[in-house]
Amino acid sequence: MNSWLIRVLLLMVFCCHDALSCPKRCTCHFSTKTTEVVCPDAGLSHFPGNGLPGNTTSLTIQFTNLSVLTSQDLKAIPLLEELHLPGNKLSSLLADLLKDVPNLHTIDLTDNELQELPSQVFHHAPLLNLVLKDNRISSIHPDWIPIDSNLTWLDLSGNHLTKFPMAQLQKLNHLKVLHLSQNKLEELPVGCLDAHPALERLHLEQNKIEKLDVKAFSHTANLTHIFLQKNRLEMVPPTVFQGLDRLEFVDLHENRLKFLSPGTLDINTSWVELTFNPWHCDDTIEYLWRKLTTESLQSEPKCASPENLKDRAVATLTLKEMGLPEEAKQD
């Protein structure tokens, strides 16, 4: 190898030293377009600034004792696009946290100790995906997201929300996926989803919702999946799913449903989960029985009452057992 080539290679090594360095307790993956850094060491208690490549595009700090994160920490990695921070000890976020990462589109803060979201906390980055799952959030400032937000994925599941954050979500008209499961929501306010015409997947499972407004989904015609399992629904308005032509799946299992009104499941999909409801198998169950026996719904709900029919699959009932005249077969 001639001396000129050696000098060029040495120059490249020195020039790129910072870009190819890697912090202790972390692993770095380099490619022509991305630099990914993963720091999974439980002993880590501070931001791993020393040795962090300046061209980092994805940073993961997971299951550590990290409790503080500042904008100054992130300033050293201005090309950052994804920030994953699951399983740490963060209890608060600074309002200017993201001011020096103008390319950040994804942030995951799953399983931290966050309690409140301050004003303008997500104003400085063009976020598309925001995950705040399994924290302690009970309140959100109305101005936490900018007016021109392009957020498409929001996960607030596993928090302490008691009311649907209607005012806080009004600006998210590009939202496609909304996770509000495992909170303490008792109702869906009238019009709470009207600002989300692009919504495709709605997760409301494991709350305390007792009823649905007949127009709950009237402005969300793009919905494909609705998850309402493990709530306290005693009835479903018969027209609540009308107009949802793209609907592929509805989950209503483990509620308090005893019957379904005619028309409730007159929808395009047969993928409806209905198990573990207290179905009362008399003449009021006829509509559900017909849907199960003639349209092959992908569910096997069982009777909870009366006692003589308990644990019988609804689809196996006879007209006589439901208290219906045999001639009803000809209807």
Side-chain angles (χ1 to χ4, degrees):
M1 184 179 296
N2 61 50
S3 59
W4 176 83
L5 184 55
I6 293 175
R7 285 196 298 269
V8 170
L9 291 173
L10 288 174
L11 181 62
M12 290 176 63
V13 168
F14 285 119
C15 289
C16 299
H17 177 267
D18 182 62
L20 296 178
S21 63
C22 192
K24 293 181 179 179
R25 300 182 173 181
C26 301
T27 301
C28 297
H29 305 275
F30 302 96
S31 72
T32 55
K33 294 183 178 181
T34 63
T35 297
E36 300 180 17
V37 181
V38 179
C39 306
D41 194 320
L44 188 67
S45 59
H46 296 87
F47 186 79
N50 293 333
L52 196 63
N55 61 346
T56 298
T57 54
S58 176
L59 173 61
T60 299
I61 304 173
Q62 57 188 4
F63 310 115
T64 76
N65 286 309
L66 181 71
S67 60
V68 177
L69 183 65
T70 70
S71 59
Q72 192 64 31
D73 292 328
L74 299 181
K75 187 175 183 179
I77 44 177
L79 301 181
L80 193 65
E81 297 177 2
E82 298 184 23
L83 178 59
H84 301 275
L85 299 166
N88 293 293
K89 306 295 183 182
L90 297 170
S91 60
S92 63
L93 300 178
L94 300 175
D96 68 346
L97 176 64
L98 307 181
K99 71 183 183 70
D100 293 310
V101 280
N103 300 305
L104 190 71
H105 60 70
T106 297
I107 181 168
D108 181 356
L109 290 153
T110 296
D111 192 20
N112 276 274
E113 300 173 3
L114 300 173
Q115 298 184 38
E116 295 183 3
L117 297 179
S119 172
Q120 300 188 356
V121 62
F122 299 120
H123 273 233
H124 303 94
L127 292 179
L128 298 177
N129 308 294
L130 174 57
V131 180
L132 294 156
K133 180 180 180 181
D134 294 339
N135 278 277
R136 304 173 185 176
I137 298 169
S138 59
S139 63
I140 306 170
H141 194 283
D143 191 32
W144 67 310
I145 290 286
I147 293 177
D148 58 349
S149 173
N150 287 317
L151 200 68
T152 60
W153 186 299
L154 174 61
D155 191 341
L156 281 163
S157 61
N159 279 285
H160 298 167
L161 297 174
T162 58
K163 295 183 179 180
F164 189 96
M166 188 170 176
Q168 293 83 348
L169 303 186
Q170 288 300 300
K171 302 171 184 178
L172 306 182
N173 54 11
H174 297 288
L175 202 61
K176 292 185 177 181
V177 179
L178 175 58
H179 287 260
L180 288 169
S181 57
Q182 294 177 286
N183 276 283
K184 301 176 182 179
L185 305 180
E186 295 183 357
E187 65 174 348
L188 296 183
V190 175
C192 67
L193 297 173
D194 290 0
H196 312 296
L199 198 63
E200 296 177 359
R201 298 177 68 96
L202 176 61
H203 290 258
L204 293 167
E205 64 267 28
Q206 288 188 253
N207 279 285
K208 300 179 180 180
I209 300 171
E210 296 183 355
K211 61 181 180 180
L212 297 175
D213 182 78
V214 67
K215 296 184 179 179
F217 310 120
S218 61
H219 290 79
T220 50
N222 285 305
L223 276 173
T224 61
H225 293 72
I226 301 176
F227 299 88
L228 286 160
Q229 67 268 31
K230 297 186 178 181
N231 276 284
R232 299 178 180 179
L233 295 172
E234 294 186 1
M235 63 88 64
V236 177
T239 59
V240 72
F241 301 127
Q242 284 188 3
L244 303 182
D245 296 335
R246 298 186 60 200
L247 199 59
E248 298 175 9
F249 180 75
V250 179
D251 197 333
L252 290 164
H253 89 264
E254 207 166 326
N255 275 279
R256 299 177 180 178
L257 300 172
K258 293 184 178 181
F259 70 97
L260 291 179
S261 299
T264 304
L265 298 182
D266 293 354
I267 52 182
N268 292 334
T269 181
S270 63
W271 290 92
V272 182
E273 184 52 69
L274 299 164
T275 55
F276 300 106
N277 279 284
W279 301 109
H280 183 66
C281 294
D282 61 7
D283 59 345
T284 62
I285 206 74
E286 180 185 6
Y287 172 73
L288 175 58
W289 175 79
R290 291 191 180 279
K291 298 297 287 188
L292 290 166
T293 55
T294 64
E295 298 186 20
S296 300
L297 288 181
Q298 305 298 315
S299 185
E300 297 182 355
K302 295 182 179 181
C303 303
S305 60
E307 188 64 29
N308 66 308
L309 296 176
K310 187 175 181 180
D311 294 329
R312 277 283 301 280
V314 174
T316 67
L317 298 174
T318 65
L319 291 167
K320 183 178 180 179
E321 286 173 321
M322 290 183 287
L324 295 168
E326 289 295 320
E327 57 267 27
K329 292 181 179 179
Q330 307 302 317
D331 290 349

